[in-house]
Amino acid sequence: MKRKSENHEAARAELLRRLALGDAGGAARLAAYYQAAELKRLYRQGWLKRGVPESECESVADHSFGTAILALFLAGRPPYEALDRDRALRIALVHELGEVYAGDITPVDGVAAEEKARLERASIGRVLAGLPGGEEYLALWEEFEAGLSPEARFVRELDRLEMGLQAAAYRAEGNGRMGEFFESARRSVSAPGLRAMLEAAAVATEPGGLDGRGGHADASDSELPEREASAG
């Protein structure tokens, strides 16, 4: 599991140990923050597997930020005015906390869905341990994972939309092998307005751009198996 730095873990552990000696409430909040901030170091592994250089690869925190921005711009506004924007934002912000310790497990890693869920549930439990209000954030994460509310299902689509938008950004920068990510996003993004955003980004970065000369998928991706179509 590639991270931006592999030699900081001892320093982080020592920081968390020292924090544990302080005020219980304040220390727990700081400890949860520093653990969650580890997502800034964790690469989105799917991009690396498709040749995006580490120097250009987004982090899981980058992806979470992008998803939260989409929630801010869209939830609670037409045609999504029925959605609770605050709830959608909170779900978007916590939806990847299960990867702090589990890592960004992709479909090609050979990890069973049940084991992935177990690892991520243990990870977020560790991050939120002792945090005042931690039960609320855990419930929001579980709500997202199971798609239990309209907001959770909306953020699940935003999660995949954001992946497609990032694929378009990478393709615009000259990174190939992005077609599979668009196809993966298309299988998950069904809300008409969100699908329109995905298609606009995909078409704008196709070979030939808005002239309409490009196809839906990069030619270099035509032989890739469907199960690999995920950034993380």
Side-chain angles (χ1 to χ4, degrees), residues 6-225:
E6 301 291 349
N7 59 3
H8 70 285
E9 292 185 4
R12 183 192 66 192
E14 176 61 16
L15 172 60
L16 295 178
R17 186 191 69 79
R18 293 182 183 183
L19 288 172
L21 301 176
D23 169 69
R29 291 184 177 92
L30 283 170
Y33 165 76
Y34 279 117
Q35 289 175 91
E38 284 298 302
L39 294 180
K40 294 192 287 186
R41 299 179 186 269
L42 179 62
Y43 291 115
R44 288 267 278 173
Q45 306 295 307
W47 305 128
L48 295 178
K49 294 178 192 297
R50 287 295 171 264
V52 174
E54 290 185 7
S55 60
E56 299 175 14
C57 187
E58 71 168 347
S59 69
V60 174
D62 292 332
H63 162 70
S64 294
F65 172 76
T67 304
I69 283 291
L70 289 171
L72 176 65
F73 290 169
L74 298 168
R77 300 184 185 279
Y80 311 110
E81 59 267 35
L83 296 173
D84 182 331
R85 181 187 302 143
D86 178 69
R87 189 170 197 85
L89 269 170
R90 286 183 288 138
I91 292 172
L93 286 169
V94 304
H95 86 281
E96 297 289 22
L97 288 182
E99 296 188 358
V100 170
Y101 292 105
D104 184 29
I105 300 169
T106 73
V108 300
D109 292 329
V111 179
E114 296 80 5
E115 176 64 4
K116 179 176 183 290
R118 185 192 70 78
L119 290 170
E120 293 182 349
R121 175 61 175 75
S123 175
I124 190 171
R126 186 174 170 185
V127 171
L128 299 177
L131 177 67
E135 299 85 354
E136 173 194 351
Y137 308 128
L138 176 59
L140 289 168
W141 179 82
E142 291 176 335
E143 184 179 323
F144 169 82
E145 287 293 306
L148 294 177
S149 67
E151 288 79 15
R153 291 188 289 275
F154 185 68
V155 176
R156 285 173 69 90
E157 290 203 32
L158 294 183
D159 173 62
R160 308 305 285 176
L161 171 62
E162 202 283 333
M163 179 190 71
L165 299 183
Q166 184 60 49
Y170 281 139
R171 186 158 69 177
E173 295 165 5
N175 292 289
R177 306 174 72 187
M178 292 293 116
E180 62 173 317
F181 296 102
F182 294 121
E183 294 308 317
S184 176
R186 288 181 178 112
R187 288 191 291 273
S188 302
V189 178
S190 60
L194 304 186
R195 185 61 178 264
M197 293 174 67
L198 174 64
E199 296 301 339
V203 169
T205 58
E206 284 176 350
L210 295 175
D211 294 339
R213 293 192 294 269
H216 267 318
D218 296 335
S220 61
D221 290 337
S222 60
E223 302 299 322
L224 291 171

